[in-house]
Amino acid sequence: MATFLVFTLLTLSSFSSPTQAEIFTSIGQMTDLIFTERELVQSLKEYIEAEEMKLEAVKSWANKLDMLTRVSTLDPEGFLAHPVNAYKLMKRLNTEWSELESLVLQDPSDGFISNMSVHRQYFPDEEDEKGAAKALIRLQDTYKLDSESFSKGKLPGQRQYSGVRYNAELTVDDCFDMGKLAYNENDYYHSVLWMQQALRQMDSGEDAKTPKADILDYLSYSVYQMGDLPRAIELTRRLVAIDPSHQRAGANLHYFERLLSKELRDRGQGQQEPADEKPIQLDTYERPKDYLPEREVYEALCRGEGVKMTEKRRSRLFCRYQDGSRSPRLLLKPMKEEDEWDSPHIVRFLEALSDEEIEKIKELAKPKLARATVRDPKTGVLTVANYRVSKSAWLEGEDDPVIARVNQRIEDVTGLTVDTAELLQVANYGVGGQYEPHYDFSRKDEPDAFKSLGTGNRVATFLNYMSDVEAGGATVFPDFGAAIWPRKGTAVFWYNLFKSGEGDYRTRHAACPVLVGSKWVSNKWIHERGQEFRRPCGLTEVD
Protein backbone atom coordinates (compact mmCIF):
# COMPACT_ATOMS: atom_id res chain seq x y z
CA MET A 1 0.00 0.00 0.00
CA ALA A 2 1.37 3.38 -0.97
CA THR A 3 2.20 5.49 2.01
CA PHE A 4 2.88 8.69 0.11
CA LEU A 5 0.41 11.37 1.13
CA VAL A 6 -0.56 13.87 -1.52
CA PHE A 7 -0.78 17.12 0.35
CA THR A 8 0.55 20.45 -0.77
CA LEU A 9 -0.56 23.73 0.71
CA LEU A 10 0.38 27.23 -0.22
CA THR A 11 2.96 28.63 2.18
CA LEU A 12 3.08 32.12 3.50
CA SER A 13 4.71 34.58 1.15
CA SER A 14 8.45 35.06 1.55
CA PHE A 15 9.40 37.18 4.52
CA SER A 16 11.68 40.14 4.11
CA SER A 17 15.08 40.44 5.70
CA PRO A 18 14.84 40.13 9.52
CA THR A 19 17.43 42.85 10.03
CA GLN A 20 14.67 45.49 9.97
CA ALA A 21 12.05 43.35 11.69
CA GLU A 22 12.50 44.57 15.25
CA ILE A 23 9.48 46.80 15.89
CA PHE A 24 7.42 44.15 17.73
CA THR A 25 10.21 43.68 20.30
CA SER A 26 9.51 46.99 22.11
CA ILE A 27 6.15 48.33 23.26
CA GLY A 28 7.81 51.70 23.86
CA GLN A 29 8.69 52.08 20.20
CA MET A 30 5.43 50.57 19.01
CA THR A 31 3.54 53.45 20.64
CA ASP A 32 4.92 55.73 17.91
CA LEU A 33 3.02 53.64 15.38
CA ILE A 34 -0.26 54.49 17.13
CA PHE A 35 0.26 58.19 16.34
CA THR A 36 1.47 57.37 12.84
CA GLU A 37 -1.74 55.45 12.20
CA ARG A 38 -3.83 58.33 13.56
CA GLU A 39 -2.09 60.73 11.15
CA LEU A 40 -2.71 58.35 8.26
CA VAL A 41 -6.40 58.11 9.17
CA GLN A 42 -6.67 61.90 9.12
CA SER A 43 -4.93 61.96 5.74
CA LEU A 44 -7.32 59.29 4.49
CA LYS A 45 -10.34 61.29 5.66
CA GLU A 46 -9.06 64.35 3.82
CA TYR A 47 -8.65 62.25 0.69
CA ILE A 48 -12.21 60.90 1.03
CA GLU A 49 -13.54 64.45 1.48
CA ALA A 50 -11.71 65.59 -1.67
CA GLU A 51 -13.05 62.59 -3.61
CA GLU A 52 -16.59 63.33 -2.41
CA MET A 53 -16.29 66.99 -3.48
CA LYS A 54 -15.02 65.88 -6.87
CA LEU A 55 -17.82 63.33 -7.21
CA GLU A 56 -20.43 65.91 -6.23
CA ALA A 57 -19.17 68.24 -8.96
CA VAL A 58 -19.33 65.43 -11.53
CA LYS A 59 -22.81 64.38 -10.36
CA SER A 60 -24.05 67.97 -10.61
CA TRP A 61 -22.73 68.19 -14.15
CA ALA A 62 -24.28 64.85 -15.06
CA ASN A 63 -27.68 65.81 -13.64
CA LYS A 64 -27.70 69.10 -15.54
CA LEU A 65 -26.81 67.42 -18.83
CA ASP A 66 -29.25 64.58 -18.20
CA MET A 67 -32.12 67.05 -18.06
CA LEU A 68 -30.80 68.90 -21.12
CA THR A 69 -30.35 65.78 -23.26
CA ARG A 70 -33.82 64.51 -22.33
CA VAL A 71 -35.27 67.65 -23.94
CA SER A 72 -32.83 67.88 -26.85
CA THR A 73 -33.32 64.28 -28.00
CA LEU A 74 -37.12 64.68 -28.26
CA ASP A 75 -36.72 66.91 -31.32
CA PRO A 76 -33.06 67.44 -32.22
CA GLU A 77 -33.71 69.62 -35.23
CA GLY A 78 -36.21 71.79 -33.42
CA PHE A 79 -33.81 72.10 -30.46
CA LEU A 80 -30.92 73.19 -32.67
CA ALA A 81 -33.16 75.57 -34.57
CA HIS A 82 -32.55 77.97 -31.75
CA PRO A 83 -29.10 79.50 -32.40
CA VAL A 84 -28.22 79.72 -28.71
CA ASN A 85 -28.73 75.95 -28.31
CA ALA A 86 -26.54 75.33 -31.33
CA TYR A 87 -23.81 77.59 -29.93
CA LYS A 88 -23.93 76.01 -26.45
CA LEU A 89 -23.71 72.50 -27.94
CA MET A 90 -20.52 73.51 -29.76
CA LYS A 91 -19.16 75.11 -26.59
CA ARG A 92 -20.00 72.15 -24.37
CA LEU A 93 -18.40 69.57 -26.61
CA ASN A 94 -15.37 71.69 -27.40
CA THR A 95 -14.66 73.22 -24.00
CA GLU A 96 -16.85 72.08 -21.13
CA TRP A 97 -16.55 68.35 -21.70
CA SER A 98 -12.78 68.81 -21.81
CA GLU A 99 -12.98 70.62 -18.49
CA LEU A 100 -15.04 67.76 -17.09
CA GLU A 101 -12.47 65.31 -18.40
CA SER A 102 -9.73 67.24 -16.59
CA LEU A 103 -11.82 67.20 -13.40
CA VAL A 104 -12.31 63.43 -13.62
CA LEU A 105 -8.60 62.92 -14.27
CA GLN A 106 -7.66 64.91 -11.17
CA ASP A 107 -6.28 62.57 -8.48
CA PRO A 108 -7.04 63.75 -4.93
CA SER A 109 -5.08 60.75 -3.63
CA ASP A 110 -1.72 62.42 -4.27
CA GLY A 111 -1.55 63.88 -0.74
CA PHE A 112 -2.55 60.60 0.89
CA ILE A 113 -0.10 58.56 -1.21
CA SER A 114 2.68 61.03 -0.44
CA ASN A 115 1.94 60.75 3.29
CA MET A 116 1.92 56.98 3.05
CA SER A 117 5.29 57.02 1.28
CA VAL A 118 6.82 59.16 4.05
CA HIS A 119 5.62 56.83 6.83
CA ARG A 120 6.05 53.50 5.06
CA GLN A 121 9.75 53.34 5.90
CA TYR A 122 8.75 53.08 9.58
CA PHE A 123 6.06 50.44 9.04
CA PRO A 124 6.50 46.95 10.49
CA ASP A 125 7.35 44.32 7.90
CA GLU A 126 6.20 40.73 7.55
CA GLU A 127 8.85 39.52 9.98
CA ASP A 128 7.34 41.86 12.59
CA GLU A 129 3.89 40.43 11.89
CA LYS A 130 5.30 36.93 12.15
CA GLY A 131 7.11 37.80 15.40
CA ALA A 132 3.95 39.29 16.91
CA ALA A 133 1.95 36.18 15.95
CA LYS A 134 4.56 33.93 17.56
CA ALA A 135 4.36 36.14 20.64
CA LEU A 136 0.60 35.49 20.92
CA ILE A 137 1.28 31.75 20.67
CA ARG A 138 3.97 32.08 23.35
CA LEU A 139 1.51 33.86 25.65
CA GLN A 140 -1.10 31.20 24.95
CA ASP A 141 1.31 28.47 26.03
CA THR A 142 2.84 30.21 29.03
CA TYR A 143 -0.43 31.35 30.58
CA LYS A 144 -2.57 28.43 29.37
CA LEU A 145 -5.04 30.60 27.46
CA ASP A 146 -7.55 28.77 25.31
CA SER A 147 -7.91 30.05 21.75
CA GLU A 148 -11.53 31.12 22.24
CA SER A 149 -10.80 33.38 25.22
CA PHE A 150 -7.76 34.75 23.42
CA SER A 151 -9.81 35.37 20.28
CA LYS A 152 -12.42 37.28 22.27
CA GLY A 153 -9.72 39.39 23.91
CA LYS A 154 -10.47 38.06 27.40
CA LEU A 155 -7.07 38.25 29.05
CA PRO A 156 -6.42 38.10 32.80
CA GLY A 157 -5.09 41.22 34.46
CA GLN A 158 -6.60 43.76 32.09
CA ARG A 159 -7.42 47.07 33.65
CA GLN A 160 -9.30 50.14 32.50
CA TYR A 161 -7.53 53.23 31.19
CA SER A 162 -9.48 56.48 31.66
CA GLY A 163 -12.63 54.40 32.17
CA VAL A 164 -12.07 52.37 28.99
CA ARG A 165 -11.19 48.68 28.81
CA TYR A 166 -9.26 48.02 25.63
CA ASN A 167 -10.56 44.69 24.41
CA ALA A 168 -9.53 43.45 20.98
CA GLU A 169 -10.96 40.45 19.15
CA LEU A 170 -9.51 38.17 16.50
CA THR A 171 -11.61 37.51 13.40
CA VAL A 172 -11.93 34.24 11.50
CA ASP A 173 -9.28 35.51 9.09
CA ASP A 174 -6.96 36.46 11.98
CA CYS A 175 -7.30 32.99 13.52
CA PHE A 176 -6.73 31.37 10.13
CA ASP A 177 -3.54 33.40 9.61
CA MET A 178 -2.31 32.39 13.09
CA GLY A 179 -2.93 28.74 12.29
CA LYS A 180 -1.33 29.07 8.87
CA LEU A 181 1.80 30.60 10.34
CA ALA A 182 2.08 27.73 12.83
CA TYR A 183 1.49 25.22 10.02
CA ASN A 184 4.29 26.68 7.92
CA GLU A 185 6.58 26.30 10.93
CA ASN A 186 5.58 22.59 11.13
CA ASP A 187 3.93 23.48 14.44
CA TYR A 188 0.82 21.35 14.00
CA TYR A 189 -0.15 21.59 17.67
CA HIS A 190 -0.84 25.32 17.44
CA SER A 191 -2.09 25.06 13.88
CA VAL A 192 -4.86 22.78 15.16
CA LEU A 193 -5.80 25.18 17.97
CA TRP A 194 -6.10 28.22 15.74
CA MET A 195 -7.67 26.51 12.71
CA GLN A 196 -10.22 24.97 15.09
CA GLN A 197 -11.00 28.44 16.46
CA ALA A 198 -11.37 29.87 12.95
CA LEU A 199 -13.78 27.05 12.10
CA ARG A 200 -15.72 27.54 15.34
CA GLN A 201 -16.23 31.25 14.67
CA MET A 202 -17.20 30.62 11.05
CA ASP A 203 -19.71 27.94 12.07
CA SER A 204 -21.25 30.46 14.48
CA GLY A 205 -22.05 32.73 11.52
CA GLU A 206 -19.12 35.14 11.44
CA ASP A 207 -18.30 36.45 7.96
CA ALA A 208 -14.82 35.93 6.58
CA LYS A 209 -12.77 36.22 3.41
CA THR A 210 -11.20 32.83 4.06
CA PRO A 211 -13.16 29.95 2.46
CA LYS A 212 -14.28 27.26 4.88
CA ALA A 213 -12.68 24.67 2.60
CA ASP A 214 -9.25 26.24 3.23
CA ILE A 215 -9.72 26.06 7.00
CA LEU A 216 -10.80 22.42 6.84
CA ASP A 217 -7.90 21.64 4.51
CA TYR A 218 -5.27 22.89 6.96
CA LEU A 219 -7.11 21.64 10.04
CA SER A 220 -7.66 18.08 8.83
CA TYR A 221 -4.02 17.60 7.90
CA SER A 222 -2.76 19.20 11.13
CA VAL A 223 -5.03 16.91 13.15
CA TYR A 224 -3.64 13.96 11.19
CA GLN A 225 -0.10 15.09 12.08
CA MET A 226 -1.15 15.06 15.75
CA GLY A 227 -2.06 11.39 15.35
CA ASP A 228 -5.87 11.74 15.53
CA LEU A 229 -6.99 9.76 12.48
CA PRO A 230 -10.73 9.51 13.31
CA ARG A 231 -11.03 13.27 13.66
CA ALA A 232 -8.88 13.86 10.55
CA ILE A 233 -11.25 11.62 8.58
CA GLU A 234 -14.35 13.39 9.91
CA LEU A 235 -12.92 16.83 9.02
CA THR A 236 -11.83 15.68 5.58
CA ARG A 237 -15.33 14.32 4.90
CA ARG A 238 -16.70 17.76 5.75
CA LEU A 239 -14.26 19.23 3.26
CA VAL A 240 -15.30 16.80 0.52
CA ALA A 241 -18.97 17.56 1.21
CA ILE A 242 -18.29 21.26 0.69
CA ASP A 243 -16.09 20.76 -2.38
CA PRO A 244 -16.48 17.31 -3.99
CA SER A 245 -13.98 18.26 -6.71
CA HIS A 246 -11.22 18.98 -4.18
CA GLN A 247 -8.61 16.50 -5.45
CA ARG A 248 -6.26 16.75 -2.47
CA ALA A 249 -9.11 16.19 -0.02
CA GLY A 250 -10.24 13.08 -1.88
CA ALA A 251 -6.74 11.63 -1.95
CA ASN A 252 -6.21 12.44 1.72
CA LEU A 253 -9.53 10.88 2.72
CA HIS A 254 -8.69 7.58 0.99
CA TYR A 255 -5.25 7.59 2.56
CA PHE A 256 -6.55 8.34 6.07
CA GLU A 257 -9.21 5.62 5.79
CA ARG A 258 -6.71 3.01 4.59
CA LEU A 259 -4.29 3.96 7.35
CA LEU A 260 -7.00 3.71 10.01
CA SER A 261 -8.17 0.32 8.67
CA LYS A 262 -4.62 -0.98 8.91
CA GLU A 263 -4.30 0.28 12.49
CA LEU A 264 -7.60 -1.38 13.44
CA ARG A 265 -6.49 -4.68 11.92
CA ASP A 266 -3.16 -4.48 13.74
CA ARG A 267 -5.04 -3.94 17.03
CA GLY A 268 -7.48 -6.73 16.25
CA GLN A 269 -10.45 -4.37 16.04
CA GLY A 270 -13.02 -4.77 13.33
CA GLN A 271 -14.89 -1.51 13.69
CA GLN A 272 -13.83 2.11 13.58
CA GLU A 273 -14.44 4.14 16.70
CA PRO A 274 -16.41 7.35 16.07
CA ALA A 275 -14.42 10.58 16.07
CA ASP A 276 -14.31 12.49 19.33
CA GLU A 277 -16.97 15.17 19.06
CA LYS A 278 -15.58 17.27 21.90
CA PRO A 279 -14.07 20.60 20.79
CA ILE A 280 -10.30 20.60 20.55
CA GLN A 281 -8.84 22.24 23.68
CA LEU A 282 -5.36 23.03 24.98
CA ASP A 283 -5.10 19.59 26.57
CA THR A 284 -6.65 17.57 23.72
CA TYR A 285 -3.20 16.86 22.29
CA GLU A 286 0.14 16.80 24.05
CA ARG A 287 2.23 19.88 23.41
CA PRO A 288 5.55 18.86 21.85
CA LYS A 289 8.70 19.18 23.95
CA ASP A 290 11.32 21.71 22.94
CA TYR A 291 14.92 22.66 23.68
CA LEU A 292 14.27 24.06 27.18
CA PRO A 293 14.43 21.31 29.86
CA GLU A 294 12.72 23.38 32.57
CA ARG A 295 9.96 24.70 30.29
CA GLU A 296 7.07 23.41 32.43
CA VAL A 297 8.55 24.66 35.71
CA TYR A 298 9.44 28.03 34.19
CA GLU A 299 5.97 28.60 32.70
CA ALA A 300 4.23 27.44 35.89
CA LEU A 301 6.19 30.02 37.91
CA CYS A 302 5.21 32.68 35.37
CA ARG A 303 1.57 31.84 36.15
CA GLY A 304 2.30 32.07 39.88
CA GLU A 305 2.10 28.28 40.27
CA GLY A 306 4.68 26.12 42.03
CA VAL A 307 6.25 28.99 43.98
CA LYS A 308 8.10 27.36 46.89
CA MET A 309 7.42 30.05 49.46
CA THR A 310 6.70 28.08 52.63
CA GLU A 311 5.78 29.49 56.02
CA LYS A 312 9.15 28.33 57.35
CA ARG A 313 10.97 30.20 54.59
CA ARG A 314 8.77 33.26 55.04
CA SER A 315 9.71 33.35 58.73
CA ARG A 316 13.34 33.83 57.68
CA LEU A 317 12.58 36.93 55.59
CA PHE A 318 12.94 40.37 57.12
CA CYS A 319 12.90 44.02 56.20
CA ARG A 320 15.38 46.68 57.28
CA TYR A 321 16.81 50.11 56.57
CA GLN A 322 19.98 49.91 54.51
CA ASP A 323 22.52 52.69 54.98
CA GLY A 324 25.28 51.05 52.95
CA SER A 325 27.61 50.62 55.94
CA ARG A 326 27.02 54.23 56.96
CA SER A 327 27.40 55.74 53.51
CA PRO A 328 27.13 59.54 53.91
CA ARG A 329 24.54 59.64 51.14
CA LEU A 330 22.31 57.15 52.97
CA LEU A 331 22.72 58.21 56.59
CA LEU A 332 19.86 60.73 56.60
CA LYS A 333 17.66 58.72 54.26
CA PRO A 334 18.52 55.01 54.28
CA MET A 335 17.07 52.72 51.64
CA LYS A 336 14.19 50.40 52.59
CA GLU A 337 15.25 46.80 52.00
CA GLU A 338 13.08 43.66 51.99
CA ASP A 339 14.15 40.04 51.73
CA GLU A 340 12.57 38.32 48.72
CA TRP A 341 14.31 34.96 49.20
CA ASP A 342 16.57 33.43 51.81
CA SER A 343 18.94 31.16 49.86
CA PRO A 344 20.27 32.36 47.54
CA HIS A 345 19.72 35.71 49.17
CA ILE A 346 17.64 38.06 47.02
CA VAL A 347 16.62 41.46 48.31
CA ARG A 348 14.29 44.17 47.03
CA PHE A 349 15.06 47.86 47.54
CA LEU A 350 12.05 50.15 47.79
CA GLU A 351 12.03 53.67 46.34
CA ALA A 352 15.18 52.85 44.38
CA LEU A 353 14.09 55.17 41.56
CA SER A 354 11.74 58.14 41.60
CA ASP A 355 9.09 58.66 38.92
CA GLU A 356 11.07 61.63 37.60
CA GLU A 357 14.24 59.56 37.32
CA ILE A 358 12.35 56.77 35.55
CA GLU A 359 10.90 59.14 32.96
CA LYS A 360 14.32 60.70 32.35
CA ILE A 361 15.96 57.30 31.90
CA LYS A 362 13.24 56.26 29.44
CA GLU A 363 13.61 59.55 27.57
CA LEU A 364 17.36 59.01 27.22
CA ALA A 365 16.98 55.36 26.22
CA LYS A 366 14.19 55.56 23.63
CA PRO A 367 16.29 56.98 20.77
CA LYS A 368 18.96 54.34 21.40
CA LEU A 369 16.72 51.27 21.73
CA ALA A 370 17.88 48.35 19.60
CA ARG A 371 17.09 44.65 19.61
CA ALA A 372 18.48 43.11 22.79
CA THR A 373 21.36 40.73 22.26
CA VAL A 374 22.94 37.81 24.08
CA ARG A 375 26.60 36.88 24.19
CA ASP A 376 27.49 33.83 22.11
CA PRO A 377 29.10 31.43 24.62
CA LYS A 378 31.62 30.18 22.04
CA THR A 379 32.70 33.42 20.38
CA GLY A 380 31.81 36.04 22.99
CA VAL A 381 30.14 38.06 20.22
CA LEU A 382 26.77 39.71 20.90
CA THR A 383 23.92 38.42 18.75
CA VAL A 384 20.10 38.43 18.72
CA ALA A 385 18.17 35.35 19.87
CA ASN A 386 14.54 34.22 19.67
CA TYR A 387 14.52 33.46 23.39
CA ARG A 388 15.16 37.12 24.22
CA VAL A 389 12.43 39.43 22.91
CA SER A 390 13.05 43.02 23.95
CA LYS A 391 14.93 46.15 22.98
CA SER A 392 17.69 47.69 25.03
CA ALA A 393 19.91 50.74 25.23
CA TRP A 394 23.11 51.37 27.14
CA LEU A 395 23.48 54.59 29.15
CA GLU A 396 26.63 55.94 30.79
CA GLY A 397 27.07 58.41 33.60
CA GLU A 398 28.20 61.16 31.21
CA ASP A 399 24.87 61.02 29.38
CA ASP A 400 22.98 62.79 32.15
CA PRO A 401 23.36 63.56 35.88
CA VAL A 402 20.44 61.20 36.57
CA ILE A 403 22.45 58.22 35.28
CA ALA A 404 25.48 59.21 37.35
CA ARG A 405 23.24 59.56 40.42
CA VAL A 406 21.64 56.13 39.86
CA ASN A 407 25.07 54.51 39.44
CA GLN A 408 26.28 56.11 42.68
CA ARG A 409 23.15 54.97 44.50
CA ILE A 410 23.73 51.38 43.39
CA GLU A 411 27.30 51.55 44.68
CA ASP A 412 26.20 53.04 47.99
CA VAL A 413 23.45 50.53 48.72
CA THR A 414 25.33 47.40 47.61
CA GLY A 415 28.76 48.37 48.92
CA LEU A 416 30.27 47.27 45.57
CA THR A 417 32.18 49.53 43.22
CA VAL A 418 30.49 50.27 39.90
CA ASP A 419 33.70 51.61 38.33
CA THR A 420 34.18 48.23 36.64
CA ALA A 421 30.47 47.53 36.11
CA GLU A 422 28.83 47.51 32.72
CA LEU A 423 26.88 50.54 31.56
CA LEU A 424 23.29 50.87 32.74
CA GLN A 425 21.22 48.73 30.36
CA VAL A 426 17.64 49.89 29.83
CA ALA A 427 15.25 47.31 28.38
CA ASN A 428 11.69 47.55 27.12
CA TYR A 429 9.80 44.35 26.38
CA GLY A 430 7.57 44.07 23.31
CA VAL A 431 4.59 41.88 22.41
CA GLY A 432 4.95 38.79 24.61
CA GLY A 433 8.39 40.13 25.56
CA GLN A 434 10.53 37.66 27.49
CA TYR A 435 14.00 36.38 28.27
CA GLU A 436 13.99 32.61 28.77
CA PRO A 437 16.01 30.96 31.58
CA HIS A 438 19.64 32.05 31.50
CA TYR A 439 22.64 32.82 33.68
CA ASP A 440 23.98 36.33 34.07
CA PHE A 441 27.51 35.07 34.78
CA SER A 442 29.79 33.24 32.35
CA ARG A 443 30.30 29.54 32.94
CA LYS A 444 33.54 27.54 32.71
CA ASP A 445 32.68 26.42 29.18
CA GLU A 446 32.56 30.05 27.99
CA PRO A 447 35.74 31.61 29.40
CA ASP A 448 35.88 34.37 26.78
CA ALA A 449 32.39 35.78 27.45
CA PHE A 450 33.64 38.94 29.22
CA LYS A 451 37.29 38.73 28.24
CA SER A 452 37.14 41.93 26.16
CA LEU A 453 35.92 43.91 29.18
CA GLY A 454 38.90 42.93 31.32
CA THR A 455 36.85 43.20 34.51
CA GLY A 456 36.25 39.58 35.39
CA ASN A 457 32.90 37.83 35.71
CA ARG A 458 29.53 39.31 36.66
CA VAL A 459 29.58 39.06 40.43
CA ALA A 460 26.11 40.56 41.02
CA THR A 461 22.95 41.79 39.31
CA PHE A 462 21.04 44.95 40.25
CA LEU A 463 17.65 45.05 38.46
CA ASN A 464 15.48 48.19 38.53
CA TYR A 465 11.77 47.83 37.75
CA MET A 466 10.68 51.00 35.96
CA SER A 467 7.02 50.10 35.40
CA ASP A 468 4.19 48.10 36.88
CA VAL A 469 2.93 45.27 34.69
CA GLU A 470 -0.77 44.42 34.63
CA ALA A 471 -0.24 40.71 33.94
CA GLY A 472 2.85 38.57 33.44
CA GLY A 473 6.41 39.85 33.34
CA ALA A 474 7.66 38.23 36.57
CA THR A 475 11.31 37.42 37.20
CA VAL A 476 11.43 33.71 38.05
CA PHE A 477 14.09 31.32 39.30
CA PRO A 478 13.17 27.76 38.21
CA ASP A 479 15.91 26.08 40.25
CA PHE A 480 14.46 27.02 43.62
CA GLY A 481 10.92 28.06 42.69
CA ALA A 482 10.90 31.82 43.25
CA ALA A 483 8.79 34.39 41.42
CA ILE A 484 9.42 38.12 41.84
CA TRP A 485 6.83 40.50 40.43
CA PRO A 486 7.64 43.94 38.98
CA ARG A 487 6.86 46.94 41.19
CA LYS A 488 7.60 50.33 39.73
CA GLY A 489 10.43 52.17 41.47
CA THR A 490 11.80 49.10 43.26
CA ALA A 491 14.95 47.10 42.51
CA VAL A 492 16.09 43.56 43.23
CA PHE A 493 19.67 42.49 43.89
CA TRP A 494 21.45 39.15 44.08
CA TYR A 495 24.95 37.70 43.82
CA ASN A 496 25.72 35.52 40.79
CA LEU A 497 29.00 34.24 42.23
CA PHE A 498 29.95 32.72 45.54
CA LYS A 499 32.73 34.51 47.43
CA SER A 500 35.11 31.90 46.03
CA GLY A 501 34.40 33.19 42.53
CA GLU A 502 32.51 30.04 41.56
CA GLY A 503 29.21 30.56 39.80
CA ASP A 504 26.00 30.07 41.76
CA TYR A 505 24.04 27.94 39.30
CA ARG A 506 20.89 28.36 41.34
CA THR A 507 20.61 31.92 40.00
CA ARG A 508 19.50 30.77 36.56
CA HIS A 509 16.47 33.01 36.00
CA ALA A 510 14.03 34.27 33.39
CA ALA A 511 11.90 37.27 32.49
CA CYS A 512 8.40 35.90 31.91
CA PRO A 513 6.44 37.01 28.84
CA VAL A 514 4.49 40.23 29.34
CA LEU A 515 0.81 39.31 28.98
CA VAL A 516 -0.78 42.73 29.45
CA GLY A 517 1.13 45.98 29.81
CA SER A 518 4.54 47.41 29.01
CA LYS A 519 7.59 46.37 31.00
CA TRP A 520 10.58 48.69 31.46
CA VAL A 521 13.64 47.65 33.47
CA SER A 522 17.24 48.78 33.86
CA ASN A 523 20.09 46.43 34.72
CA LYS A 524 23.44 47.07 36.30
CA TRP A 525 25.80 44.10 36.05
CA ILE A 526 28.57 44.48 38.60
CA HIS A 527 31.90 42.76 37.84
CA GLU A 528 34.58 41.15 40.02
CA ARG A 529 37.42 43.58 39.41
CA GLY A 530 37.65 46.16 42.19
CA GLN A 531 35.64 44.15 44.74
CA GLU A 532 38.68 42.53 46.38
CA PHE A 533 38.29 44.49 49.63
CA ARG A 534 34.56 45.14 49.36
CA ARG A 535 33.64 41.46 49.08
CA PRO A 536 36.69 39.40 50.13
CA CYS A 537 37.15 35.86 48.82
CA GLY A 538 35.65 33.00 50.81
CA LEU A 539 37.57 30.01 52.10
CA THR A 540 35.25 27.36 50.62
CA GLU A 541 33.91 26.86 47.13
CA VAL A 542 30.29 27.71 47.98
CA ASP A 543 30.88 30.21 50.76
Side-chain angles (χ1 to χ4, degrees), residues 136-164:
L136 294 189
I137 289 174
R138 180 163 59 249
L139 292 173
Q140 180 181 29
D141 288 341
T142 304
Y143 298 104
K144 289 191 174 181
L145 304 170
D146 65 87
S147 300
E148 185 168 17
S149 295
F150 217 134
S151 176
K152 299 305 178 186
K154 298 176 181 177
L155 302 181
Q158 286 177 288
R159 69 180 184 185
Q160 292 189 350
Y161 295 84
S162 302
V164 178

Side-chain angles (χ1 to χ4, degrees), residues 403-416:
I403 307 303
R405 186 163 69 243
V406 169
N407 287 340
Q408 184 62 60
R409 187 179 301 147
I410 293 172
E411 178 168 312
D412 290 341
V413 78
T414 63
L416 302 174

